[in-house]
Amino acid sequence: MAQLAGSAAILDRGEVEVLGLLPYSSNYTFLARLRAEGSETLAVYKPNRGERPLWDFPTGTLSAREVATFLVSEAAGWHIVPPTVLREEAPLGPGSVQLFIEHDPELHYLTLMQHRLEDFRVFAALDAVVNNADRKAGHVLQDGDGRVWAVDHGLTFNVEPKLRTVIWQFAEKPFGDVLRAQLDRLGAELARPGGLGDELADLLSPEESAATLARVETLLVEDCFPSPTSERPLPWPII
């Protein structure tokens, strides 16, 4: 975690050098190198100007949703989203900068779940909290140490139900004591004056922040993972 903390500091203030466009993205997504004080790291840079217009998400807000999801993961104690920050000054304009995770693209949710399904309980909880409309299998990565990560969270925090995910294996299963305690802590931080709720209201909107707290409260009352309720519960493409 110390190394990650150091990387996060570079993300905040490092000089951004764009290396090239990453493939298979609907929006412009770049691999970048950041340097600061003799250290460097690779990152994923998503400039606001590269967003494809969507009818249900305001243009120019997807990078803030990436950062907001990181903050939720940290506040809950899940630590499954790579460090992510907003940068106002970058070569292609303001956008999100996220620590790049070295990974094998052949290892994604549909292959990893066969051997480590229980590791993805927190992924399912995170997606329910942030109302993730796009949890593709390829948005789950495994690094060289075997740690799994959740990435690509631009389509999140809508006030309307939007949950589309490949992780439905836990539907209607109880959270258990550990996960319920984490959700309870997250709810308290969202409700605390000056806490995460206010931060999300500034990043996104007061309505989306309030909807996030409401989702956590509903999850705690129901005490189980949600089940599909829409006609389109899966993202497309799946991977």
Side-chain angles (χ1 to χ4, degrees), residues 146-219:
R147 182 173 176 177
V148 285
W149 297 91
V151 299
D152 286 300
H153 298 110
L155 303 186
T156 48
F157 294 99
N158 202 300
V159 295
E160 299 295 330
K162 294 281 184 179
L163 186 58
R164 290 192 291 270
T165 174
V166 294
I167 311 177
W168 287 114
Q169 284 72 18
F170 305 103
E172 300 185 7
K173 292 185 177 179
F175 291 129
D177 293 342
V178 173
L179 190 50
R180 182 176 175 81
Q182 292 169 331
L183 287 168
D184 193 51
R185 182 172 65 209
L186 176 60
E189 180 58 21
L190 284 165
R192 181 175 64 83
L196 179 60
D198 288 343
E199 196 166 3
L200 295 186
D202 290 337
L203 265 175
L204 307 173
S205 71
E207 293 78 14
E208 287 171 314
S209 177
T212 304
L213 174 58
R215 285 191 295 271
V216 173
E217 291 174 339
T218 297
L219 289 170

Side-chain angles (χ1 to χ4, degrees), residues 40-55:
E40 66 177 50
T41 191
L42 292 177
V44 176
Y45 168 41
K46 297 183 178 182
N48 294 348
R49 63 192 290 187
E51 292 181 13
R52 176 171 55 89
L54 299 168
W55 68 269

Side-chain angles (χ1 to χ4, degrees), residues 19 33 70 100 124 207 220:
L19 300 178
R33 180 185 292 116
F70 167 68
F100 178 75
E207 293 78 14
L220 287 167

Side-chain angles (χ1 to χ4, degrees), residues 7 26 41 58 71 82 84 89 92 116 123 127 134 190 197 209 228:
S7 297
S26 56
T41 191
L71 295 176
T84 312
E89 296 183 5
L92 299 175
R116 51 188 310 180
F123 285 66
D127 288 341
D134 195 36
L190 284 165
S209 177

